[in-house]
Amino acid sequence: MAEIIIMPKLGFNMDEGQLVKWHRRVGETVKKGEVLFEINTDKTTMPVEATADGTVLQLMLEEGAFAEVFTPIAVIGAPGEDPNAVLNGPATPQAAPAAPAEPAGYDYDVVVIGAGPGGYETAIKAAQCGKKTCIIEGAGFGGTCLNVGCTPTKALIQTADVYHKVKDAARFAVTGVEADKIAVDMAALQARKKAVVKTLVNGVKGLLRGNKVTVVEGMASFADTHTLSVDGRSITGANIIIATGSSVFMPPFIALGGENHLLTSTEALDLDQVPASVTVIGGGVIGVEFAYLLNRLGSKVTVLELMDHILPMVDPEVSALAQKRLEKGGVTFRLGAKVSRVENNRVYYEYNGAQEQLEAGAVLMAVGRTPNTEGLNAQGIGLEFDRNAIKTDLCLRTNVPNIYAIGDVNGKAMLAHTASHEGMVAVANICGRHEEMHYDRIPSCIYLEPEIACIGLTEPQARENYGDNLKIGRFSMMANGKSLVEGDTDGLFKVIVAGDTGEILGVHLYGQHVTDMIGEVSAAMTAEATAEELIGSIHPHPTVNEALGEAFMAAWNGKAINSL
């Protein structure tokens, strides 16, 4: 059957495109994957490949002309087929639906519940798209991330890193520093952390005001699918976006007894003195970052992890290197440890078939987070759940058409930048522009020394999906000049690409400043760039970043330039 070719939407803000050149004329054949035409977006010229084999039956847009996205511009099919038959019937692919008409009588076009990174950015985007928008927040503007998560954690880690750099000054030819007299003033550190948080929280409030988003403080609960009750006040919305985040998960399978100095990530951020020893339960991102932080500040740290490796989202080869570095710094790991109870600061666990116990000055529970839905009455209005998270599709819609859920509350990927992007996708769909999330392109960052950043599949996952059709490249930081200059050559850049096409499947970086580099790979994957195209991109010298090109050379060409 003939297929309609449409003007593609190649960017979130793309509304129209200009046809630059047809690579096939009427009557000529084209194969799937061959370039059919080129278009100008607002940023660049892009080749567009044919999505199926066929003969060009009709061209409907002249070179140099403009067309709105999703507008039919050509038809391909079998020789002799009538293009009008498909043009007059249902289009394939379907054109994007028009923006739904919003029922009159609601207070707002969009109401967002929760002002964390996902919520406040979503509210601003909705307002910028011309929607009358309200945001409701009952705890703290900026959510977990700004108040008791990402930002304050990194503020503490920054001080811990500076502390160690100053102590290590002699290695960089800086004299006169008495390393044994260097110390961290915990009260001053807490004051600095609070100042950073306050600045950012005030910034969020200012951004909301500046974008004319109505702010309501209080706890929201659904009265019906269009009505929220906030401290006795009713607020109605044509569309409602739930962005209520998550809370620390306290596992019911770990019994608690006696008197414990039990910490979660929230309390650990407010320590006014560093415990002499800490047992961390959980070897995921939160547990490992706090193990690193507390160890750097002087605690004797032991991590108990149920799995056989730490940092499960990171390629095992890279996470093993990070574990080795942490162990070198003094952190002890017990992998495969099954914790059963905590009593009087003593943790009881099974390890290698034997019952063990470990006493510490404090116990940090870091086994994950759980979506915040309590008090929402979400189930009361018929929202479907996937275990304890609100169920959504790739457009972030729930089973109730006008209600969306973004961020930790949908349980898909508990990261602040995921929540923010989900919000952009939700707003696009509210405005009638079909957008979907791509959860295989979400970067993760882990703030250690050196840092870890990763995106896509690990090697075991790639082998499970692609078998032996893989090319894997590695580049050691020992061969990177900037890493040598900075005095830290521990680290590895590892890339995983499809063996036949060079499609980027996974990238795992362990080195200095890599959390500031992973965005390049995210952009490349979104643009469907290949390993060859990354190799052809110029990386500046001297930088740690240039090792990325080397790793892709090692994968695609079989050998990097600066390694033997």
Side-chain angles (χ1 to χ4, degrees), residues 7 17 70 85 124 162 181 228-229 247 288 312 333 339 344 355 360 402 480-481 484:
M7 176 63 71
F70 305 120
I124 289 171
V162 170
K181 294 185 178 180
L228 293 164
S229 176
S247 300
V288 169
F333 289 90
V339 177
N344 296 321
Q355 296 300 318
N402 69 292
N480 176 255
L484 182 62

Side-chain angles (χ1 to χ4, degrees), residues 154-156 158-159 187-197:
K154 279 42 177 192
L156 300 186
Q158 176 68 16
T159 292
L189 173 55
Q190 289 295 338
R192 180 178 185 273
K193 178 204 76 176
K194 290 175 183 176
V196 170
V197 170

Side-chain angles (χ1 to χ4, degrees), residues 323-538:
Q323 180 181 331
K324 183 178 179 181
R325 173 68 174 258
L326 289 164
E327 288 173 334
K328 183 179 178 181
V331 179
T332 300
F333 289 90
R334 294 284 182 268
L335 303 181
K338 185 176 181 180
V339 177
S340 57
R341 77 181 196 275
V342 179
E343 186 173 344
N344 296 321
N345 284 341
R346 191 178 293 272
V347 180
Y348 295 82
Y349 62 100
E350 181 182 328
Y351 181 62
N352 289 337
Q355 296 300 318
E356 306 264 352
Q357 54 183 276
L358 181 64
E359 187 173 9
V363 178
L364 173 62
M365 195 72 74
V367 293
R369 300 184 65 83
T370 188
N372 287 333
T373 58
E374 186 176 354
L376 269 180
N377 190 34
Q379 291 173 316
I381 61 164
L383 290 184
E384 290 182 2
F385 277 64
D386 182 1
R387 291 180 292 182
N388 57 351
I390 296 175
K391 187 176 181 180
T392 61
D393 62 15
L394 293 177
C395 298
L396 286 309
R397 293 188 190 93
T398 67
N399 62 303
V400 178
N402 69 292
I403 299 178
Y404 298 73
I406 67 168
D408 291 8
V409 75
N410 68 31
K412 293 183 182 295
M414 291 188 173
L415 296 165
H417 47 277
T418 301
S420 297
H421 195 75
E422 286 176 332
M424 303 303 105
V425 171
V427 170
N429 283 284
I430 287 171
C431 293
R433 300 190 304 273
H434 181 77
E435 295 279 348
E436 292 185 356
M437 277 295 294
H438 297 278
Y439 289 101
D440 57 343
R441 302 174 188 169
I442 297 173
S444 295
C445 298
I446 305 166
Y447 296 82
L448 310 173
E449 180 69 24
E451 296 175 337
I452 297 175
C454 59
I455 188 170
L457 302 177
T458 64
E459 183 180 346
Q461 290 169 339
R463 293 204 178 280
E464 184 178 343
N465 287 278
Y466 291 82
D468 292 329
N469 181 31
L470 298 175
K471 289 186 176 181
I472 297 174
R474 298 172 178 83
F475 191 81
S476 170
M477 292 302 99
M478 293 181 69
N480 176 255
K482 184 67 181 298
S483 296
L484 182 62
V485 167
E486 296 201 359
D488 193 339
T489 55
D490 281 354
L492 175 74
F493 281 18
K494 181 175 181 178
V495 304
I496 305 160
V497 303
D500 52 353
T501 64
E503 177 188 358
I504 303 168
L505 303 176
V507 173
H508 299 262
L509 310 179
Y510 181 44
Q512 297 292 317
H513 319 300
V514 296
T515 60
D516 297 319
M517 301 176 204
I518 198 67
E520 174 187 347
V521 183
S522 176
M525 293 175 74
T526 299
E528 298 184 354
T530 64
E532 194 168 17
E533 289 167 318
L534 259 291
I535 293 168
S537 302
I538 300 174

